[in-house]
């Protein structure tokens, strides 16, 4: 395994390509190429921000041949925004408030967002049924109840995808009849790379 949070360390990776057949008599032909596409995960430090240029030094050894390469890279990061709305701002006990949360990549976003965790803290006068929560378009997600509300985890939100989360909350306390209140508050986190 590779420690993706280390900085300035040297790592070694081995690729087993299997049998390679060369039908050209000249084995040194410039067209004899194996390409390995690699994604580098950079540490979370302030100097490595969106669009920053950096260099990854890599050495390649194949049998008796070896080489040292400096590979220029550009840092790309996700940038998400969220808009939360409710079907009504007030209601009586027994009424249902349908909530809609739309998550979008901002114009500055350049990569998928991973391990997106949304934490909802509910007002004490509403109840939540996890089985009624939906996400569209259909992408993997999980819901977990907490002491003060619930969390929704989305393993990944790819570029160009804007998931919409809908969930009803039932008003349970007659003390809020016809009064305006905020049914929940929202906080969230996400990462620029999958969890190791």
């Amino acid at each position: 395994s590779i420690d993706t949070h280390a900085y300035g360390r040297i790592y070694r990776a081995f690729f087993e390509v299997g049998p390679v057949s060369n039908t050209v008599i000249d084995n040194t032909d410039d067209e004899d190429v194996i390409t390995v596409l690699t994604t580098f995960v950079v540490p979370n430090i302030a100097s490595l921000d969106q669009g920053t240029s950096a260099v990854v030094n890599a050495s390649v050894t194949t049998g008796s041949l070896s080489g040292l390469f400096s590979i220029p890279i550009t840092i790309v990061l996700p940038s998400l925004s969220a808009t939360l709305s409710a079907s009504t701002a007030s209601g009586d006990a027994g009424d249902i408030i349908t909530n809609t949360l739309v998550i979008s990549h901002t114009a500055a976003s350049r990569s998928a967002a991973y391990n997106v965790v949304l934490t909802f803290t509910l007002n004490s006068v509403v109840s939540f049924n996890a089985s009624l929560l939906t996400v569209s378009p259909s992408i993997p997600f999980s819901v977990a109840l907490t002491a003060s509300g619930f969390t929704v985890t989305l393993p990944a939100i790819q570029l160009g995808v804007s998931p919409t989360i809908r969930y009803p909350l039932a008003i349970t306390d007659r003390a809020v009849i016809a009064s305006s209140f905020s049914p929940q508050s929202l906080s969230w986190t996400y990462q620029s790379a999958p969890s190791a």
Side-chain angles (χ1 to χ4, degrees), residues 30 42 51 56 70 93 110-111 125 131 148 151 156 174-175:
D30 288 342
V42 299
V56 173
S70 293
R110 294 293 180 269
S111 70
V125 300
S131 66
S148 57
T151 63
R174 291 191 178 278

Side-chain angles (χ1 to χ4, degrees), residues 1-3 19 28 36 62 66 72 85-87 90-91 105 132 137 159 161 167 176 182 185 194-195:
S1 64
I2 295 179
D3 178 5
T28 62
V36 178
T62 58
S66 64
S85 59
S87 58
S90 64
H105 283 269
L132 299 179
L159 273 174
V161 176
Y167 57 96
V176 299
S182 176
S185 60
S195 298

